[in-house]
Amino acid sequence: MKKYKYLLTLLFWLIPISQSFAIEALKLQKVADNVYAIVGELGNRTPENLGNNATFGLVVTSEGAVLIDSGGTYKGAKEIHHLIKSVTDKPITTVINTGGQDHRWLGNGYFKDQGAKLIASKKAVEDQKARTQDQFIMLGNLVGDEGIKGTDAVYAEKTFDDKLVFELGGVKFEISHTGQAHTPGDSFVWLPQQKVMFTGDIVYTQRMLGVGSQSNSKSWINVYISMAAYKPKHIVPGHGQATDLASADADTYDYLIFLRESVSAFIESGGDITEIGSVDQSKFSHLLNYKNLAGRNAQQVFTELEWE
Ligand SMILES: [Zn+2]
């Protein structure tokens, strides 16, 4: 009898925890009136976070809501929508994909089913198409078959070259693609009235950014400068909590400059790529994922610098 009671108590605690787990992985952060950051985990994709290991943006207007980035999977998109419903019952009329990374666009199918219009830069859609298969393989490994169930490659139907401006319910949106950054088609979304900047993968805070084969660290710095020129009051980064420009500078811009300067100096001193691990990046060891990414970033920048 005692055992039975214990089991019941255990069940009572376990059931609600498992049901709300994926939802709790996302946190809503108010940035300005009707403007929110939806902050996902800072680590890698897992079956629990459904590929939502990133930060997304939400703007609620009188004529509907605009979502910046649709999440990493169909089920992940549903979790984002669930959280959005806690602040508005307005339909999501528009989804902007700020880049080609999986968590920027693989939730598109879910939101298109809800009637949303999808917008992305031409370069982002090209990049998504080129890497769809790789991204599905990677998500299958990290999130698992159950987690990616329902996810399809759904591309934005409305695309632009370098700038798209629109208004919804009196709120102005300016989307700009100024070059390759973390991915070839990265864009930032500016709200001129609220002075809020959604940066997608152009800005990482709290965690170390990743320079991959789809990135260009030199161009990334220029893209960052073009974004910072708007003097945003609030930054909603692609990874990390909403913050200000100073902390975006510290965690993204300063690191990119430091990384390129350090690897340059390493090459000039005759360093060989096999010893790239000796480049000292401990100045940025406070950033999450430092151990996994610092060496890889240096290696990627080494390869880039060889071709510049
Ligand atoms: Zn990302």
Side-chain angles (χ1 to χ4, degrees):
M1 190 62 193
K2 212 175 174 189
K3 219 176 188 178
Y4 177 69
K5 206 171 162 191
Y6 169 76
L7 207 74
L8 263 184
T9 316
L10 196 74
L11 274 174
F12 174 79
W13 286 109
L14 277 177
I15 293 167
I17 287 170
S18 63
Q19 275 176 351
S20 61
F21 195 71
I23 299 158
E24 306 244 309
L26 291 172
K27 295 208 164 49
L28 196 72
Q29 186 188 0
K30 189 173 177 181
V31 177
D33 280 349
N34 301 312
V35 181
Y36 301 87
I38 298 169
V39 185
E41 287 176 358
L42 293 165
N44 209 339
R45 299 139 183 93
T46 64
E48 289 75 28
N49 66 34
L50 297 167
N52 286 339
N53 65 329
T55 299
F56 316 99
L58 174 69
V59 184
V60 180
T61 84
S62 59
E63 285 173 31
V66 176
L67 174 66
I68 291 95
D69 297 319
S70 59
T73 55
Y74 186 93
K75 287 185 177 177
K78 212 170 166 181
E79 295 296 344
I80 291 174
H81 196 192
H82 184 89
L83 191 63
I84 291 172
K85 283 176 185 161
S86 69
V87 284
T88 181
D89 52 10
K90 291 263 191 300
I92 297 158
T93 59
T94 310
V95 172
I96 301 165
N97 303 140
T98 61
Q101 204 68 343
D102 48 322
H103 38 237
R104 305 285 154 224
W105 72 281
L106 280 172
N108 281 358
Y110 172 83
F111 290 105
K112 195 172 181 176
D113 287 351
Q114 315 296 311
K117 188 175 72 183
L118 311 170
I119 303 175
S121 76
K122 270 193 189 121
K123 282 267 162 65
V125 175
E126 272 172 33
D127 178 38
Q128 291 161 5
K129 286 182 175 168
R131 292 195 292 140
T132 298
Q133 212 186 346
D134 292 347
Q135 292 181 350
F136 270 88
I137 293 169
M138 181 262 298
L139 283 172
N141 290 332
L142 296 174
V143 175
D145 291 341
E146 191 53 39
I148 64 168
K149 215 176 239 176
T151 310
D152 283 318
V154 176
Y155 308 103
E157 61 274 4
K158 187 162 180 61
T159 59
F160 62 94
D161 286 316
D162 46 26
K163 196 154 186 125
L164 182 80
V165 176
F166 69 93
E167 201 176 311
L168 186 74
V171 181
K172 288 182 182 140
F173 294 80
E174 292 179 29
I175 318 173
S176 301
H177 165 68
T178 63
Q180 184 175 7
H182 177 64
T183 74
D186 285 341
S187 301
F188 50 82
V189 181
W190 173 236
L191 306 183
Q193 294 145 315
Q194 294 83 348
K195 297 197 179 302
V196 174
M197 182 68 86
F198 300 93
T199 70
D201 284 323
I202 296 163
V203 175
Y204 287 53
T205 59
Q206 300 170 277
R207 57 153 288 187
M208 178 158 272
L209 59 81
V211 185
S213 55
Q214 80 290 343
S215 313
N216 182 305
S217 65
K218 186 181 184 182
S219 171
W220 191 338
I221 290 168
N222 294 329
V223 170
Y224 186 98
I225 292 168
S226 69
M227 179 283 296
Y230 286 77
K231 298 195 168 63
K233 196 172 151 197
H234 305 281
I235 296 256
V236 179
H239 295 271
Q241 287 184 337
T243 183
D244 57 11
L245 190 60
S247 75
D249 282 348
D251 293 354
T252 294
Y253 180 78
D254 292 353
Y255 176 63
L256 284 170
I257 297 282
F258 167 84
L259 180 64
R260 285 181 56 88
E261 281 176 359
S262 312
V263 176
S264 260
F266 174 79
I267 293 171
E268 269 160 40
S269 69
D272 184 86
I273 193 151
T274 56
E275 281 139 28
I276 194 75
S278 66
V279 173
D280 181 13
Q281 299 186 48
S282 56
K283 203 175 148 188
F284 289 89
S285 61
H286 58 280
L287 295 175
L288 219 83
N289 308 323
Y290 167 79
K291 279 203 177 104
N292 294 329
L293 290 173
R296 261 202 268 173
N297 287 345
Q299 203 171 347
Q300 187 60 34
V301 168
F302 185 102
T303 312
E304 270 183 39
L305 286 167
E306 277 187 318
W307 290 94
E308 274 175 16

